[in-house]
DNA sequence: GTGGTCTAGACCACA
DNA sequence: GTGGTCTAGACCACA
């Protein structure tokens, strides 16, 4: 695992987003065991506490769960993963349309713009 | 002018964005004089220092300029406004495509998704 | 504010419980501003980070919210407070009945027991 | 024997509680011989060390005793079993009343609540 | 070896 | 002054 951290965004949030994307995109497979907190922190070159904070966020989203003394695992709840994936697609799409509308592009203009600039 | 502030984003940034949008979308007309800092701060219910910080940002983008003793004006440089508008459209569009790609939608999928969910 | 900490339960959880109870029971009034993180941590004689962890939990329950640079406030959402209160009453009551059942008291026995030992 | 372990509570404690309940409720009869540590650990799918730890707890409560080379037995001290049962009923009942009081239910309210929600 | 908690202390942006 | 983030480092229970 490797992240190019952006200095303007809290590290733990970037870790949350990265792992969330890896789960949603299937790079992290449901049921997989994550590396230990210490190992992952070491690899990402962050303090273990920072990583713990990120993992706690993911756990509160139910995207990972903890087996005491054993490790942390990616959820096996594929329905949940898909629900989060759909909700993300919806949120970023409607935000995008709103942002484009704010600068004067309506729905059609926006789609035309996207197609022309691919 | 009226803004529903989001408590999780710095106020001065929200003001910058709002004014930038108003200029780009034409709600604020090139050459227009802005209300005085004092009035604008009062209307927005923010600390004048916060407003000054926002206006400084806009001035450094050349979207407004200051006439000593006279006030602050929206730039008349329509070319600049359009350039910023284009660059914004480009940035948010390519961010959007990247975000959708991260969760497994390619260009075509994304456009289909947008159309179906309009 | 004052808490007699039980050494067997994480401090931050005891703080969460205490504040939750204070909100639910009305000791903390909806809309009230909490003392600053530093002050509260000092009074409770815990590290500010520990307090922050507790407050984050409460915020994720929507029982408090943060105004950036201004402080933290008890939610004004009385409906939510009542919902949490009801759900708590339900949870601890059904747990209680289950525990009593496990040692051989049925519903009637349990109520009799409660009445006799008041 | 079968336990649905809760990953957030130490396994050995869950075993202690389960066996305690089985003794108190009479599922395990006074004087009965327990299965061997090895068998019981195998059945519960836990590490034998974990089971030993649980059994030691029960032995220190005098709920079971060890006959050297012969095995472990449920106590025949019915007075003790009843004492523990009573003390448990008392503890969980007074905790329950305290918890309900904390969220604004007095003794009468609590009993009414229990009756209405049975 | 696994995760969990806590402290001390530093540094930051914002208003 | 307000909250937010991060690190270094220690100590713990559990399996």
């Amino acid at each position: 695992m490797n992240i190019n951290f952006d200095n303007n965004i809290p590290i733990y949030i970037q870790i949350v987003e990265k792992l969330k994307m890896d789960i949603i995109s299937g790079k992290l497979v449901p049921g997989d065991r994550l590396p230990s907190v210490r190992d992952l922190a070491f690899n990402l070159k962050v303090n273990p506490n920072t990583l713990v904070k990120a993992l706690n966020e993911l756990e509160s989203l139910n995207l990972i769960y903890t087996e005491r003394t054993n490790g942390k695992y990616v959820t096996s709840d594929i329905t949940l993963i898909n629900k989060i994936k759909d909700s993300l697609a919806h949120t970023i799409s409607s935000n995008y349309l709103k942002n484009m509308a704010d600068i004067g592009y309506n729905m059609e203009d926006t789609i035309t713009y996207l197609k022309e600039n691919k």
Side-chain angles (χ1 to χ4, degrees), chain A residues 6-25:
Chain A
D6 172 342
N7 273 324
N8 299 311
I9 305 176
I11 292 175
Y12 81 94
I13 290 188
Q14 296 180 64
I15 297 174
V16 168
E17 290 308 312
K18 174 68 163 64
L19 290 174
K20 195 195 279 184
M21 288 311 167
D22 283 356
I23 293 173
I24 286 176
S25 68

Side-chain angles (χ1 to χ4, degrees), chain A residues 42-80:
Chain A
F42 179 81
N43 284 337
L44 293 173
K45 291 179 193 119
V46 300
N47 187 284
N49 285 334
T50 302
L51 182 61
V52 164
K53 190 168 182 180
L55 296 179
N56 283 343
E57 293 263 314
L58 288 167
E59 187 145 7
S60 78
L61 292 171
N62 291 321
L63 281 174
I64 65 175
Y65 65 92
T66 301
E67 279 192 11
R68 305 181 68 266
T69 75
N70 240 326
K72 290 169 179 290
Y73 296 79
V74 176
T75 182
S76 298
D77 184 346
I78 296 175
T79 310
L80 174 72

